[in-house]
Amino acid sequence: MLSIDIKGRDGRRLKDKWVAGGRSYLGLMMEGFPNLFIIAGPNGPSALANFILLNEQNVDWACDCIAHLRANGLRTIEADGAAEDGWMRKVTELGNRSLYPTANTWYTGAIVPGKPRNFPVYIGGLGRYREICGDAAAEGYRGFTLG
């Protein structure tokens, strides 16, 4: 995604937002980038999940979200900054319970010169991840700002 010059609100570049590593809320959206849905994005279960099932869930969630926006006369959605921060803490805390962050792999960025080292994958399981995303939607897209 960094190979494309993606710009969000007020011209903010994705490259600048992610200078310290990928950040998102639920691996689906980011604060400051309205209507930019990410499929299998950073901080979701991505590489540790069945990719077909994860992609299907993410696309279904985005389609349902767009239908919700249209049905309610809304035009924008983006992750709330506090929700994004909370999700990032959760991803980091779960990851730190494992050995993943200690490995020198592409998961952590350790084998890519200049890439910030972190572990950007939700390891709570695809089933639990699906529940979390479903609950956010059922609660009026909790953690998102709609307009």
Side-chain angles (χ1 to χ4, degrees):
M1 289 181 65
L2 296 179
S3 296
I4 304 168
D5 190 21
I6 297 173
K7 292 183 181 153
R9 193 174 303 287
D10 301 323
R12 185 177 185 191
R13 297 172 64 207
L14 180 60
K15 192 176 292 189
D16 295 332
K17 180 176 177 75
W18 283 2
V19 72
R23 290 183 54 86
S24 72
Y25 177 50
L26 304 178
L28 293 168
M29 299 192 88
M30 299 168 291
E31 176 272 328
F33 292 81
N35 299 342
L36 178 60
F37 293 93
I38 309 169
I39 305 305
N43 322 123
S46 59
L48 299 179
N50 178 310
F51 231 55
I52 294 170
L53 296 179
L54 173 63
N55 288 344
E56 182 179 65
Q57 182 274 336
N58 280 185
V59 169
D60 287 347
W61 190 94
C63 289
D64 291 345
C65 179
I66 291 167
H68 173 82
L69 294 173
R70 285 182 177 158
N72 290 282
L74 300 167
R75 299 180 56 89
T76 62
I77 182 169
E78 72 180 271
D80 175 76
E84 184 177 289
D85 290 343
W87 181 250
M88 294 305 302
R89 280 191 301 277
K90 177 179 234 158
V91 168
T92 300
E93 288 168 6
L94 284 172
N96 286 340
R97 294 181 193 171
S98 75
L99 293 175
Y100 283 113
T102 65
N104 291 325
T105 68
W106 66 270
Y107 278 110
T108 62
I111 62 171
V112 181
K115 185 173 182 180
R117 187 180 179 115
N118 64 19
F119 184 69
V121 181
Y122 172 77
I123 65 169
L126 181 58
R128 180 66 186 126
Y129 172 79
R130 292 171 69 122
E131 289 173 9
I132 292 168
C133 293
D135 290 348
E139 294 170 23
Y141 292 90
R142 173 185 30 83
F144 296 90
T145 302
L146 287 68

